[in-house]
């Protein structure tokens, strides 16, 4: 994926603009969550070292916060090409073959995300139907945590499809036809 930003960034289509706003909004919320995590972990360390007992709820809350922030930021990170990518093979391929591999990777990534979305949605629904609870510092319904996976995987799958479309529409690909 060497063409970051090929998603629904600039469009007159209201659905595309709303989707783009959703992706950017989730990334901002994810970043804010990471910032709050740093603050609360620092506060926990300060309280633990000065008073002697930490804030009992911080560790579990940070576990959930890291999970949610990562899922919220993932579609934007993929769109921007800001993820870890091993391209030692693809960077040495001829342009035409590199594009074919890139298109294949986009479609494969989307398919994998749709499968994860489907099965995680089933698991979330089963947890809701069973009334499963997570018992730790807090007792919360399991589905309230697991609902983020199908939501995030759906958005990442869409981003892979948008990257695929961007790869097909890029000028070098059109001129190579």
């Amino acid at each position: 994926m060497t063409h970051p930003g090929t998603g629904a960034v600039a469009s007159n289509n209201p659905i595309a603009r709303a989707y783009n706003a959703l992706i950017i909004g989730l990334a901002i919320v994810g970043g804010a969550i990471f910032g709050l995590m740093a603050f609360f972990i620092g506060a926990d360390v300060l309280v633990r070292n000065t008073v002697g007992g930490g804030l009992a709820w911080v560790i579990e809350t940070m576990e959930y916060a890291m999970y949610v922030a990562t899922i919220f930021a993932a579609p934007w990170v993929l769109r921007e090409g800001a993820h870890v990518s091993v391209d030692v093979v693809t960077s040495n391929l001829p342009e035409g073959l590199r594009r074919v591999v890139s298109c294949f990777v986009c479609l494969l990534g989307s398919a994998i995300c749709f499968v994860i979305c489907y099965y995680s949605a089933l698991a979330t629904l089963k947890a809701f139907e069973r009334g499963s609870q997570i018992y730790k510092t807090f007792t919360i319904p399991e589905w309230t945590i697991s609902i983020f996976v199908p939501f995030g995987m759906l958005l990442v799958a869409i981003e892979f499809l948008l990257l695929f479309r961007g790869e097909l529409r890029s000028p070098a690909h059109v001129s190579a036809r």
Side-chain angles (χ1 to χ4, degrees):
M1 285 8 104
T2 59
H3 304 289
T6 56
V9 177
S11 175
N12 290 329
N13 181 333
I15 294 172
R17 284 196 324 261
Y19 175 78
N20 187 52
L22 173 67
I23 297 303
I24 292 170
L26 288 172
I28 290 168
V29 170
I33 291 171
F34 281 121
L36 287 171
M37 286 173 56
F39 172 79
F40 282 112
I41 290 170
D44 183 45
V45 169
L46 180 67
V47 169
R48 193 174 327 127
N49 288 326
T50 57
V51 179
L55 306 171
W57 53 271
V58 168
I59 298 209
E60 183 177 348
T61 304
M62 295 309 105
E63 289 174 11
Y64 297 137
M66 186 180 308
Y67 162 74
V68 171
T70 301
I71 289 172
F72 279 8
W76 179 83
V77 168
L78 178 60
R79 174 185 289 180
E80 295 300 315
H83 52 84
V84 174
S85 176
V86 180
D87 64 351
V88 69
V89 173
T90 56
S91 64
N92 291 310
L93 293 175
E95 181 63 19
L97 185 55
R98 189 209 56 77
R99 290 179 163 285
V100 169
V101 171
S102 181
C103 287
F104 174 75
V105 168
C106 288
L107 291 175
L108 180 62
S110 185
I112 290 168
C113 289
F114 277 126
V115 168
I116 294 170
C117 175
Y118 175 77
Y119 284 106
S120 62
L122 288 179
T124 300
L125 182 61
K126 286 182 184 177
F128 177 78
E129 291 171 344
R130 286 191 313 254
S132 301
Q133 301 283 316
I134 298 173
Y135 298 98
K136 291 172 117 181
T137 303
F138 306 112
T139 300
I140 56 174
E142 182 181 3
W143 71 268
T144 61
I145 299 300
S146 61
I147 191 76
F148 292 102
V149 175
F151 173 71
M153 287 297 101
L154 177 63
L155 294 177
V156 173
I158 291 168
E159 282 301 315
F160 269 121
L161 291 176
L162 290 171
L163 287 171
F164 174 73
R165 182 186 72 177
E167 192 70 45
L168 291 179
R169 288 183 172 182
S170 68
H173 189 269
V174 173
S175 64
R177 286 184 184 176

